[in-house]
C-alpha cells in the first residue's frame, strides 16, 4: 500500500494557532509518528510525506506529487480552530462522494479507530470541497484532530504521549482498511487498556476500586510524562488487539468513557 501522508500547512503558513501552539508543528509531529509506526510494524507499506520539516508547500504541489507517485490513499492531518469553545475530532471526504463509496468505507473504519483512542468529543463524519480531497486521483481523507484554541483539546495536543495515541489510531484504521499485515518480529506488541490517568494516587485508587467492583481486574502503574508523575490505571494487557478491544468495551460499558488502548513493545 502506498500512502501519501500530508501534514497540513508549514513554513510561512502556520495554520491554526492557539494556546501557544501552531498547527503546522503539531500535525507534522503526528504525521511523523504515523509514518514511524507504519513502517516499523507493517509489511509492504510505502509512505511519502508532503513535508518532513517546516517548509512551505502549496496545495497543488501536494496533490500533484501524490497523483504522480500513484498513491493508494491520501491522508491529510490537521487541527482545528474556531472561537475557543468548540472542541473535538471530525474528518472529511469530498462532498461529491456517496456514503456507499469506497472512500467513505475507508473513512468509516478510520473514524472508528481514531475515536477509539483520542479522548476527544466525536464531532462526526463530514464532507467538504477541500482541494486535497477534490484534486486527488485516489481515495482521500482529511482528519481534524482537536481544536488548538480550546483549552481542553490544547492540553492534549501538547502531550507527546497523546500524539502517539492519535498516530496509533490512524495506523489502526489504515491497517484495517487496507488489510495490512504486521511484521513477524513485532508480534511481541502489548495492547494495554488504560482506564484513567491521574495526578492524584487517591483518585487512581478510587478508579481501580470502581473497576474491581465491576469485576474488572486492574492495577495502578506510575509513569512520568513531561517531567510529571501520573498514576495510570491499567485494566489489562493483551498480545491480540481484538482481545484488548473487547476489554475496552467492558470498561466503557462500566461507565469509563475516557478509556483507551495503547500499543507498546512487550
Amino acid at each position: 500500500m502506498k500512502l501519501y501522508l500530508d501534514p497540513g500547512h508549514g513554513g510561512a503558513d502556520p495554520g491554526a494557532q492557539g494556546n501557544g501552539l501552531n498547527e503546522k508543528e503539531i500535525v507534522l509531529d503526528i504525521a511523523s509518528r504515523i509514518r514511524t509506526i507504519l513502517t516499523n510494524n507493517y509489511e509492504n507499506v510505502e509512505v511519502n510525506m508532503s513535508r518532513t520539516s517546516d517548509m512551505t508547500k502549496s496545495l497543488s504541489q501536494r496533490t500533484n506529487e501524490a497523483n504522480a507517485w500513484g498513491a493508494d490513499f491520501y491522508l491529510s492531518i490537521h487541527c482545528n480552530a474556531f472561537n475557543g469553545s468548540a472542541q473535538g475530532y471530525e474528518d472529511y471526504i469530498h462532498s461529491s462522494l456517496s456514503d456507499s463509496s469506497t472512500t467513505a468505507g475507508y473513512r468509516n473504519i478510520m473514524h472508528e479507530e481514531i475515536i477509539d483512542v483520542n479522548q476527544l468529543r466525536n464531532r462526526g463524519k463530514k464532507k467538504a470541497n477541500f482541494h486535497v480531497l477534490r484534486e486527488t486521483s485516489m481515495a482521500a481523507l482529511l482528519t481534524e484532530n482537536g481544536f488548538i484554541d480550546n483549552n481542553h483539546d490544547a492540553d492534549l495536543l501538547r502531550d507527546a504521549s497523546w500524539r502517539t495515541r492519535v498516530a496509533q489510531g490512524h495506523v489502526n484504521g489504515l491497517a484495517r482498511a487496507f488489510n495490512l499485515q504486521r511484521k513477524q518480529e513485532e508480534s511481541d506488541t502489548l495492547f494495554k487498556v488504560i482506564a484513567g490517568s491521574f495526578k492524584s494516587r487517591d483518585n487512581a485508587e478510587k478508579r481501580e476500586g470502581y473497576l474491581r467492583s465491576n469485576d474488572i481486574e486492574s492495577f495502578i502503574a506510575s509513569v512520568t510524562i513531561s517531567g510529571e508523575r501520573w498514576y495510570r490505571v491499567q485494566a489489562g494487557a493483551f498480545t491480540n488487539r481484538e482481545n484488548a478491544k473487547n476489554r475496552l468495551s467492558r470498561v466503557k460499558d462500566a461507565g469509563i468513557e475516557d478509556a483507551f488502548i495503547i500499543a507498546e513493545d512487550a
Side-chain angles (χ1 to χ4, degrees):
M1 192 270 279
K2 296 172 70 173
L3 172 68
Y4 190 87
L5 184 55
D6 176 27
H9 309 284
D13 175 13
Q17 295 176 295
N19 290 292
L21 301 172
N22 290 317
E23 178 183 3
K24 68 176 183 177
E25 296 164 359
I26 296 294
V27 299
L28 176 59
D29 184 81
I30 293 173
S32 298
R33 291 168 192 262
I34 291 172
R35 179 187 60 181
T36 297
I37 297 170
L38 267 177
T39 56
N40 285 351
N41 293 280
Y42 289 92
E43 300 279 2
N44 302 317
V45 178
E46 294 180 67
V47 179
N48 189 353
M49 288 180 63
S50 63
R51 62 183 183 93
T52 57
S53 62
D54 185 18
M55 61 175 288
T56 301
K57 194 165 190 176
S58 71
L59 295 177
S60 293
Q61 285 177 306
R62 298 171 198 237
T63 53
N64 289 345
E65 190 173 84
N67 292 339
W69 185 50
D72 298 307
F73 193 62
Y74 190 108
L75 178 58
S76 191
I77 309 298
H78 286 260
C79 301
N80 234 324
F82 184 55
N83 62 2
S85 63
Q87 64 183 93
Y89 169 85
E90 60 196 27
D91 45 38
Y92 291 85
I93 60 174
H94 192 254
S95 49
S96 66
L97 296 171
S98 73
D99 291 339
S100 60
S101 65
T102 298
T103 300
Y106 291 152
R107 189 267 293 278
N108 291 344
I109 293 171
M110 296 282 294
H111 187 94
E112 179 181 313
E113 294 292 343
I114 295 166
I115 283 293
D116 202 25
V117 301
N118 69 4
Q119 299 172 273
L120 292 171
R121 175 187 169 198
N122 184 357
R123 295 174 59 87
K125 296 175 281 189
K126 303 184 178 183
K127 298 179 183 180
N129 188 31
F130 298 144
H131 176 99
V132 297
L133 303 179
R134 183 183 66 247
E135 301 300 326
T136 41
S137 57
M138 70 294 302
L141 176 69
L142 184 147
T143 65
E144 292 277 9
N145 298 276
F147 282 74
I148 206 166
D149 58 349
N150 176 268
N151 292 337
H152 169 271
D153 288 8
D155 283 344
L156 294 174
L157 287 163
R158 65 168 53 92
D159 181 350
S161 64
W162 180 86
R163 296 194 299 273
T164 295
R165 290 200 297 274
V166 169
Q168 184 70 59
H170 283 72
V171 171
N172 293 344
L174 290 166
R176 272 185 60 199
F178 291 92
N179 194 29
L180 302 180
Q181 301 302 306
R182 293 187 67 88
K183 291 180 179 179
Q184 191 64 42
E185 61 267 25
E186 297 298 328
S187 61
D188 289 336
T189 298
L190 278 180
F191 298 97
K192 298 180 179 180
V193 179
I194 306 302
S197 293
F198 305 89
K199 288 186 177 180
S200 163
R201 186 174 180 90
D202 286 344
N203 290 339
E205 289 174 350
K206 289 177 183 176
R207 176 62 57 85
E208 181 192 26
Y210 176 79
L211 289 167
R212 290 182 180 276
S213 72
N214 283 272
D215 295 321
I216 300 173
E217 288 295 319
S218 62
F219 67 91
I220 298 170
S222 64
V223 295
T224 301
I225 300 173
S226 301
E228 290 188 299
R229 174 70 61 84
W230 290 80
Y231 297 97
R232 179 182 281 171
V233 181
Q234 183 173 314
F238 305 86
T239 56
N240 182 289
R241 188 169 184 277
E242 287 305 311
N243 291 340
K245 289 186 72 174
N246 290 338
R247 175 60 59 83
L248 179 67
S249 294
R250 276 192 65 196
V251 172
K252 288 190 172 184
D253 287 346
I256 312 300
E257 290 296 328
D258 59 350
F260 56 91
I261 295 171
I262 60 172
E264 295 181 351
D265 290 336

